[in-house]
Amino acid sequence: MVNKKAITSLLLVTAVMMSGCSTQESSSAKSSGDPGKTEAAAANTPFTLLFYTAQNGNYANEDNFSKEIGDFITAKFPHIKVEHIHKGKGQDYPDLIAAGTIPDIILESSTNVKPRIMANDLHYDLSELIKKHNFDLNRIDSTVLQVLKNWGDGKLYGLPFMGSNLILGYNKDIFDKFGVPYPKDGITWDEVYDLVRKVSRAENGVNYVGLRYNSPLVFKYNQRSLGFMSEKEDKAAVNTDAWKDLFANFKRIYDVPNNEISIPGEFAGGTEAMDLNVTEKLITWSQKNPSANWDITAAPVFKDAPKVGFQPNFYSMYVTKQSKHKDEAFDVIAYLLSDEVQTQLSKKALLTPLADKKIQGVFGQDIESLKGKNLQAVFYNRYAAPAPIRDANLTFADVAGVPGNSFDKMLKNQTDINTALREAEETINKALTDAKAQGGGGK
């Protein structure tokens, strides 16, 4: 798909004239995030807005995109025709750029701004648009915003739209079977480890595993706010005592007899007692086995850091520097971040980036299969701070998945933590060397 041609000079002149008559948005519009009567909205000139979803496989289904994004746009801005492309074969960033099909808005992971948005020269600093459109950044969780700034070398190239958080699901039937108390919000990793030892059992030919988790996620968004590369030098920063302690915390769980990584376990299927997973799994679990007796708690925390969960994992919306409709695109993003839209999405169990407790309080209300679940556990912990920002002149390499992959390799090969972290360090250093040889790896 290709963007519509630029509007004619006559319409541009008309838009400028109309802009002189535009009024300042009301204070109520500011507080709710509604873009109000900005110049772009006042013109109401029909045009096509190209929206590219590079993340969230859910949007490969056009109906899902329409329900969660597209329909909101066309209802609020009937003069805007939304065209949507989802990342896939022949529709990756290089394909679009080669075809001259540059999106107006990109939906991408907040941690991918350098390797994908900036590396393809699509980034655009939103500071002027934020000021011009009177958008209140204080409505957004400050830690979520800091993640975007850290990965964007201190600049805000996008705004968070919706996210994912890690939660602890637990199968009540397995806990009841073995007479073990359920986990509760605020549970520590030491307490989870004790539970794993109690519920990891083999009985009557069935192996019940205590806990499963996604290694790349728990290390990428780790609760200790540990980075992967040095803040001041082009070298790895994972072969440290802090990383060793973090690896040890998670390794001990798979060292428990009957909970080895080689033993399969399925949460919704009834052989896994606990599952540390993303909030999207709430709907998956309820749909896969509607009769399963489960609930959730907040993610476990370290004893010395109560209520500190994982780092934010959010999809953000970016206005491209090539867009001829920057003001209109920002109006669209601002509206999608309004209280009105975010409340509706929260009811559908989509995690809001807004700090508003009322919007968080309706999370999952429209999902019948989640009735009675401890859904506010999603917001029990506060986000861990993002890893410290690196100097902007340093080389960038996309190595966020290296620690988790090294951890899984350690478990598979039954090696030790020191070996795993040394190999992770070597992998990261090589990636930095390669990126530097190629011109900086997107810095």
Side-chain angles (χ1 to χ4, degrees), residues 166-170 183-184 187 189 192 195 211-212 267 274-277 285 295-300:
L166 287 169
I167 50 173
L168 183 68
Y170 63 94
K184 297 180 180 179
I187 190 170
W189 281 112
V192 164
L195 290 179
L211 173 65
R212 289 288 179 264
F267 185 67
M274 292 179 286
D275 194 319
L276 182 70
N277 223 313
W285 290 338
D295 209 337
I296 65 169
T297 70

PDB file of all heavy atoms in Angstrom, residues 166-170 183-184 187 189 192 195 211-212 267 274-277 285 295-300:
ATOM      1  N   LEU A 166       4.271  -8.853  33.959  1.00  0.00           N
ATOM      2  CA  LEU A 166       4.405 -10.244  34.388  1.00  0.00           C
ATOM      3  C   LEU A 166       3.578 -10.486  35.641  1.00  0.00           C
ATOM      4  O   LEU A 166       3.594  -9.682  36.580  1.00  0.00           O
ATOM      5  CB  LEU A 166       5.878 -10.578  34.649  1.00  0.00           C
ATOM      6  CG  LEU A 166       6.730 -10.714  33.384  1.00  0.00           C
ATOM      7  CD1 LEU A 166       8.209 -10.768  33.731  1.00  0.00           C
ATOM      8  CD2 LEU A 166       6.339 -11.967  32.612  1.00  0.00           C
ATOM      9  N   ILE A 167       2.844 -11.583  35.635  1.00  0.00           N
ATOM     10  CA  ILE A 167       1.986 -11.972  36.757  1.00  0.00           C
ATOM     11  C   ILE A 167       2.248 -13.440  37.081  1.00  0.00           C
ATOM     12  O   ILE A 167       2.793 -14.186  36.262  1.00  0.00           O
ATOM     13  CB  ILE A 167       0.494 -11.791  36.409  1.00  0.00           C
ATOM     14  CG1 ILE A 167       0.191 -12.463  35.057  1.00  0.00           C
ATOM     15  CG2 ILE A 167       0.100 -10.319  36.413  1.00  0.00           C
ATOM     16  CD1 ILE A 167      -1.263 -12.505  34.682  1.00  0.00           C
ATOM     17  N   LEU A 168       1.848 -13.852  38.250  1.00  0.00           N
ATOM     18  CA  LEU A 168       2.027 -15.243  38.663  1.00  0.00           C
ATOM     19  C   LEU A 168       0.672 -15.949  38.682  1.00  0.00           C
ATOM     20  O   LEU A 168      -0.180 -15.670  39.532  1.00  0.00           O
ATOM     21  CB  LEU A 168       2.665 -15.314  40.052  1.00  0.00           C
ATOM     22  CG  LEU A 168       2.971 -16.724  40.568  1.00  0.00           C
ATOM     23  CD1 LEU A 168       4.091 -17.361  39.746  1.00  0.00           C
ATOM     24  CD2 LEU A 168       3.343 -16.686  42.043  1.00  0.00           C
ATOM     25  N   GLY A 169       0.460 -16.844  37.729  1.00  0.00           N
ATOM     26  CA  GLY A 169      -0.750 -17.654  37.727  1.00  0.00           C
ATOM     27  C   GLY A 169      -0.535 -18.896  38.590  1.00  0.00           C
ATOM     28  O   GLY A 169       0.574 -19.440  38.638  1.00  0.00           O
ATOM     29  N   TYR A 170      -1.583 -19.334  39.285  1.00  0.00           N
ATOM     30  CA  TYR A 170      -1.438 -20.558  40.088  1.00  0.00           C
ATOM     31  C   TYR A 170      -2.691 -21.426  39.956  1.00  0.00           C
ATOM     32  O   TYR A 170      -3.813 -20.929  39.889  1.00  0.00           O
ATOM     33  CB  TYR A 170      -1.132 -20.240  41.553  1.00  0.00           C
ATOM     34  CG  TYR A 170      -2.205 -19.490  42.309  1.00  0.00           C
ATOM     35  CD1 TYR A 170      -3.159 -20.160  43.074  1.00  0.00           C
ATOM     36  CD2 TYR A 170      -2.261 -18.095  42.273  1.00  0.00           C
ATOM     37  CE1 TYR A 170      -4.130 -19.474  43.782  1.00  0.00           C
ATOM     38  CE2 TYR A 170      -3.229 -17.400  42.964  1.00  0.00           C
ATOM     39  CZ  TYR A 170      -4.165 -18.095  43.718  1.00  0.00           C
ATOM     40  OH  TYR A 170      -5.143 -17.409  44.422  1.00  0.00           O
ATOM     41  N   PRO A 183      -0.384 -18.930  46.886  1.00  0.00           N
ATOM     42  CA  PRO A 183       0.449 -17.719  46.948  1.00  0.00           C
ATOM     43  C   PRO A 183      -0.433 -16.482  47.049  1.00  0.00           C
ATOM     44  O   PRO A 183      -1.604 -16.516  46.670  1.00  0.00           O
ATOM     45  CB  PRO A 183       1.218 -17.755  45.619  1.00  0.00           C
ATOM     46  CG  PRO A 183       0.364 -18.585  44.707  1.00  0.00           C
ATOM     47  CD  PRO A 183      -0.309 -19.605  45.582  1.00  0.00           C
ATOM     48  N   LYS A 184       0.110 -15.403  47.570  1.00  0.00           N
ATOM     49  CA  LYS A 184      -0.633 -14.154  47.735  1.00  0.00           C
ATOM     50  C   LYS A 184       0.170 -12.992  47.170  1.00  0.00           C
ATOM     51  O   LYS A 184       1.377 -13.072  47.007  1.00  0.00           O
ATOM     52  CB  LYS A 184      -0.931 -13.902  49.222  1.00  0.00           C
ATOM     53  CG  LYS A 184      -1.817 -14.950  49.875  1.00  0.00           C
ATOM     54  CD  LYS A 184      -2.058 -14.616  51.345  1.00  0.00           C
ATOM     55  CE  LYS A 184      -2.952 -15.650  52.016  1.00  0.00           C
ATOM     56  NZ  LYS A 184      -3.183 -15.338  53.460  1.00  0.00           N
ATOM     57  N   ILE A 187       4.147 -11.888  47.567  1.00  0.00           N
ATOM     58  CA  ILE A 187       4.989 -13.058  47.803  1.00  0.00           C
ATOM     59  C   ILE A 187       6.419 -12.788  47.320  1.00  0.00           C
ATOM     60  O   ILE A 187       6.632 -12.109  46.315  1.00  0.00           O
ATOM     61  CB  ILE A 187       4.396 -14.301  47.103  1.00  0.00           C
ATOM     62  CG1 ILE A 187       5.124 -15.562  47.559  1.00  0.00           C
ATOM     63  CG2 ILE A 187       4.415 -14.156  45.593  1.00  0.00           C
ATOM     64  CD1 ILE A 187       4.447 -16.847  47.100  1.00  0.00           C
ATOM     65  N   TRP A 189      10.464 -14.129  46.271  1.00  0.00           N
ATOM     66  CA  TRP A 189      11.064 -15.237  45.520  1.00  0.00           C
ATOM     67  C   TRP A 189      11.450 -16.385  46.447  1.00  0.00           C
ATOM     68  O   TRP A 189      11.338 -17.557  46.064  1.00  0.00           O
ATOM     69  CB  TRP A 189      12.279 -14.743  44.735  1.00  0.00           C
ATOM     70  CG  TRP A 189      11.894 -14.029  43.479  1.00  0.00           C
ATOM     71  CD1 TRP A 189      12.037 -12.704  43.193  1.00  0.00           C
ATOM     72  CD2 TRP A 189      11.267 -14.618  42.334  1.00  0.00           C
ATOM     73  NE1 TRP A 189      11.534 -12.420  41.948  1.00  0.00           N
ATOM     74  CE2 TRP A 189      11.061 -13.580  41.390  1.00  0.00           C
ATOM     75  CE3 TRP A 189      10.861 -15.910  42.010  1.00  0.00           C
ATOM     76  CZ2 TRP A 189      10.465 -13.802  40.145  1.00  0.00           C
ATOM     77  CZ3 TRP A 189      10.269 -16.139  40.772  1.00  0.00           C
ATOM     78  CH2 TRP A 189      10.081 -15.090  39.857  1.00  0.00           C
ATOM     79  N   VAL A 192       8.286 -18.275  47.007  1.00  0.00           N
ATOM     80  CA  VAL A 192       7.935 -19.031  45.808  1.00  0.00           C
ATOM     81  C   VAL A 192       8.795 -20.276  45.706  1.00  0.00           C
ATOM     82  O   VAL A 192       8.301 -21.365  45.367  1.00  0.00           O
ATOM     83  CB  VAL A 192       8.093 -18.153  44.549  1.00  0.00           C
ATOM     84  CG1 VAL A 192       8.114 -19.000  43.283  1.00  0.00           C
ATOM     85  CG2 VAL A 192       6.957 -17.144  44.464  1.00  0.00           C
ATOM     86  N   LEU A 195       7.412 -22.883  47.862  1.00  0.00           N
ATOM     87  CA  LEU A 195       6.209 -23.472  47.281  1.00  0.00           C
ATOM     88  C   LEU A 195       6.564 -24.457  46.167  1.00  0.00           C
ATOM     89  O   LEU A 195       5.945 -25.523  46.054  1.00  0.00           O
ATOM     90  CB  LEU A 195       5.296 -22.375  46.724  1.00  0.00           C
ATOM     91  CG  LEU A 195       4.590 -21.469  47.734  1.00  0.00           C
ATOM     92  CD1 LEU A 195       3.739 -20.430  47.014  1.00  0.00           C
ATOM     93  CD2 LEU A 195       3.719 -22.293  48.683  1.00  0.00           C
ATOM     94  N   LEU A 211       6.897 -24.512  38.870  1.00  0.00           N
ATOM     95  CA  LEU A 211       6.875 -23.186  38.255  1.00  0.00           C
ATOM     96  C   LEU A 211       7.595 -23.205  36.920  1.00  0.00           C
ATOM     97  O   LEU A 211       8.650 -23.829  36.766  1.00  0.00           O
ATOM     98  CB  LEU A 211       7.563 -22.168  39.177  1.00  0.00           C
ATOM     99  CG  LEU A 211       7.779 -20.749  38.624  1.00  0.00           C
ATOM    100  CD1 LEU A 211       6.448 -20.050  38.368  1.00  0.00           C
ATOM    101  CD2 LEU A 211       8.638 -19.919  39.573  1.00  0.00           C
ATOM    102  N   ARG A 212       7.020 -22.504  35.961  1.00  0.00           N
ATOM    103  CA  ARG A 212       7.671 -22.256  34.685  1.00  0.00           C
ATOM    104  C   ARG A 212       7.667 -20.739  34.439  1.00  0.00           C
ATOM    105  O   ARG A 212       6.770 -20.033  34.897  1.00  0.00           O
ATOM    106  CB  ARG A 212       6.939 -22.972  33.534  1.00  0.00           C
ATOM    107  CG  ARG A 212       7.107 -24.484  33.571  1.00  0.00           C
ATOM    108  CD  ARG A 212       8.520 -24.876  33.166  1.00  0.00           C
ATOM    109  NE  ARG A 212       8.748 -26.313  33.194  1.00  0.00           N
ATOM    110  CZ  ARG A 212       9.303 -26.970  34.219  1.00  0.00           C
ATOM    111  NH1 ARG A 212       9.657 -26.305  35.313  1.00  0.00           N
ATOM    112  NH2 ARG A 212       9.513 -28.264  34.143  1.00  0.00           N
ATOM    113  N   PHE A 267       0.164 -25.138  32.180  1.00  0.00           N
ATOM    114  CA  PHE A 267      -0.642 -24.479  33.203  1.00  0.00           C
ATOM    115  C   PHE A 267      -2.123 -24.752  33.022  1.00  0.00           C
ATOM    116  O   PHE A 267      -2.790 -25.270  33.917  1.00  0.00           O
ATOM    117  CB  PHE A 267      -0.366 -22.975  33.195  1.00  0.00           C
ATOM    118  CG  PHE A 267      -1.079 -22.246  34.314  1.00  0.00           C
ATOM    119  CD1 PHE A 267      -0.726 -22.468  35.636  1.00  0.00           C
ATOM    120  CD2 PHE A 267      -2.096 -21.349  34.056  1.00  0.00           C
ATOM    121  CE1 PHE A 267      -1.373 -21.815  36.677  1.00  0.00           C
ATOM    122  CE2 PHE A 267      -2.755 -20.683  35.077  1.00  0.00           C
ATOM    123  CZ  PHE A 267      -2.394 -20.919  36.391  1.00  0.00           C
ATOM    124  N   MET A 274       2.395 -23.336  38.995  1.00  0.00           N
ATOM    125  CA  MET A 274       2.518 -21.887  38.866  1.00  0.00           C
ATOM    126  C   MET A 274       3.169 -21.526  37.534  1.00  0.00           C
ATOM    127  O   MET A 274       4.005 -22.261  37.024  1.00  0.00           O
ATOM    128  CB  MET A 274       3.355 -21.312  40.020  1.00  0.00           C
ATOM    129  CG  MET A 274       2.689 -21.388  41.386  1.00  0.00           C
ATOM    130  SD  MET A 274       3.751 -20.706  42.717  1.00  0.00           S
ATOM    131  CE  MET A 274       4.978 -22.024  42.874  1.00  0.00           C
ATOM    132  N   ASP A 275       2.749 -20.397  36.993  1.00  0.00           N
ATOM    133  CA  ASP A 275       3.282 -19.930  35.716  1.00  0.00           C
ATOM    134  C   ASP A 275       3.506 -18.429  35.810  1.00  0.00           C
ATOM    135  O   ASP A 275       2.558 -17.670  36.010  1.00  0.00           O
ATOM    136  CB  ASP A 275       2.305 -20.256  34.582  1.00  0.00           C
ATOM    137  CG  ASP A 275       2.931 -20.117  33.197  1.00  0.00           C
ATOM    138  OD1 ASP A 275       3.690 -19.150  32.973  1.00  0.00           O
ATOM    139  OD2 ASP A 275       2.651 -20.963  32.346  1.00  0.00           O
ATOM    140  N   LEU A 276       4.772 -17.992  35.702  1.00  0.00           N
ATOM    141  CA  LEU A 276       5.077 -16.570  35.657  1.00  0.00           C
ATOM    142  C   LEU A 276       5.037 -16.162  34.196  1.00  0.00           C
ATOM    143  O   LEU A 276       5.876 -16.576  33.405  1.00  0.00           O
ATOM    144  CB  LEU A 276       6.469 -16.298  36.249  1.00  0.00           C
ATOM    145  CG  LEU A 276       6.874 -14.821  36.293  1.00  0.00           C
ATOM    146  CD1 LEU A 276       6.055 -14.062  37.330  1.00  0.00           C
ATOM    147  CD2 LEU A 276       8.363 -14.669  36.579  1.00  0.00           C
ATOM    148  N   ASN A 277       4.055 -15.339  33.858  1.00  0.00           N
ATOM    149  CA  ASN A 277       3.853 -15.057  32.442  1.00  0.00           C
ATOM    150  C   ASN A 277       3.266 -13.666  32.242  1.00  0.00           C
ATOM    151  O   ASN A 277       2.987 -12.949  33.210  1.00  0.00           O
ATOM    152  CB  ASN A 277       2.944 -16.122  31.814  1.00  0.00           C
ATOM    153  CG  ASN A 277       3.432 -16.583  30.456  1.00  0.00           C
ATOM    154  OD1 ASN A 277       3.774 -15.757  29.617  1.00  0.00           O
ATOM    155  ND2 ASN A 277       3.476 -17.884  30.240  1.00  0.00           N
ATOM    156  N   TRP A 285      -5.361 -18.452  28.973  1.00  0.00           N
ATOM    157  CA  TRP A 285      -5.624 -19.483  29.980  1.00  0.00           C
ATOM    158  C   TRP A 285      -7.119 -19.756  30.129  1.00  0.00           C
ATOM    159  O   TRP A 285      -7.545 -20.909  30.202  1.00  0.00           O
ATOM    160  CB  TRP A 285      -5.060 -19.046  31.331  1.00  0.00           C
ATOM    161  CG  TRP A 285      -3.560 -19.033  31.414  1.00  0.00           C
ATOM    162  CD1 TRP A 285      -2.682 -19.731  30.627  1.00  0.00           C
ATOM    163  CD2 TRP A 285      -2.764 -18.265  32.325  1.00  0.00           C
ATOM    164  NE1 TRP A 285      -1.388 -19.451  31.006  1.00  0.00           N
ATOM    165  CE2 TRP A 285      -1.405 -18.560  32.043  1.00  0.00           C
ATOM    166  CE3 TRP A 285      -3.054 -17.383  33.363  1.00  0.00           C
ATOM    167  CZ2 TRP A 285      -0.350 -17.987  32.763  1.00  0.00           C
ATOM    168  CZ3 TRP A 285      -2.008 -16.806  34.074  1.00  0.00           C
ATOM    169  CH2 TRP A 285      -0.672 -17.114  33.775  1.00  0.00           C
ATOM    170  N   ASP A 295      -6.073 -18.782  39.546  1.00  0.00           N
ATOM    171  CA  ASP A 295      -6.133 -17.352  39.839  1.00  0.00           C
ATOM    172  C   ASP A 295      -4.724 -16.792  39.699  1.00  0.00           C
ATOM    173  O   ASP A 295      -3.810 -17.520  39.306  1.00  0.00           O
ATOM    174  CB  ASP A 295      -6.687 -17.097  41.241  1.00  0.00           C
ATOM    175  CG  ASP A 295      -7.408 -15.752  41.349  1.00  0.00           C
ATOM    176  OD1 ASP A 295      -7.123 -14.852  40.538  1.00  0.00           O
ATOM    177  OD2 ASP A 295      -8.236 -15.586  42.262  1.00  0.00           O
ATOM    178  N   ILE A 296      -4.567 -15.504  40.015  1.00  0.00           N
ATOM    179  CA  ILE A 296      -3.257 -14.890  39.862  1.00  0.00           C
ATOM    180  C   ILE A 296      -2.876 -14.077  41.093  1.00  0.00           C
ATOM    181  O   ILE A 296      -3.735 -13.679  41.898  1.00  0.00           O
ATOM    182  CB  ILE A 296      -3.198 -13.962  38.628  1.00  0.00           C
ATOM    183  CG1 ILE A 296      -4.143 -12.759  38.812  1.00  0.00           C
ATOM    184  CG2 ILE A 296      -3.506 -14.722  37.362  1.00  0.00           C
ATOM    185  CD1 ILE A 296      -3.952 -11.675  37.764  1.00  0.00           C
ATOM    186  N   THR A 297      -1.572 -13.852  41.229  1.00  0.00           N
ATOM    187  CA  THR A 297      -1.050 -12.882  42.189  1.00  0.00           C
ATOM    188  C   THR A 297      -0.088 -11.976  41.427  1.00  0.00           C
ATOM    189  O   THR A 297       0.265 -12.240  40.277  1.00  0.00           O
ATOM    190  CB  THR A 297      -0.281 -13.544  43.349  1.00  0.00           C
ATOM    191  OG1 THR A 297       0.955 -14.080  42.846  1.00  0.00           O
ATOM    192  CG2 THR A 297      -1.089 -14.655  43.990  1.00  0.00           C
ATOM    193  N   ALA A 298       0.340 -10.930  42.094  1.00  0.00           N
ATOM    194  CA  ALA A 298       1.384 -10.089  41.517  1.00  0.00           C
ATOM    195  C   ALA A 298       2.659 -10.913  41.384  1.00  0.00           C
ATOM    196  O   ALA A 298       2.845 -11.923  42.081  1.00  0.00           O
ATOM    197  CB  ALA A 298       1.628  -8.882  42.414  1.00  0.00           C
ATOM    198  N   ALA A 299       3.538 -10.518  40.494  1.00  0.00           N
ATOM    199  CA  ALA A 299       4.806 -11.221  40.319  1.00  0.00           C
ATOM    200  C   ALA A 299       5.585 -11.238  41.632  1.00  0.00           C
ATOM    201  O   ALA A 299       5.539 -10.275  42.408  1.00  0.00           O
ATOM    202  CB  ALA A 299       5.630 -10.541  39.236  1.00  0.00           C
ATOM    203  N   PRO A 300       6.292 -12.314  41.916  1.00  0.00           N
ATOM    204  CA  PRO A 300       7.111 -12.371  43.134  1.00  0.00           C
ATOM    205  C   PRO A 300       8.152 -11.257  43.156  1.00  0.00           C
ATOM    206  O   PRO A 300       8.590 -10.777  42.102  1.00  0.00           O
ATOM    207  CB  PRO A 300       7.784 -13.752  43.038  1.00  0.00           C
ATOM    208  CG  PRO A 300       6.916 -14.539  42.118  1.00  0.00           C
ATOM    209  CD  PRO A 300       6.370 -13.556  41.131  1.00  0.00           C
TER     210      PRO A 300
END
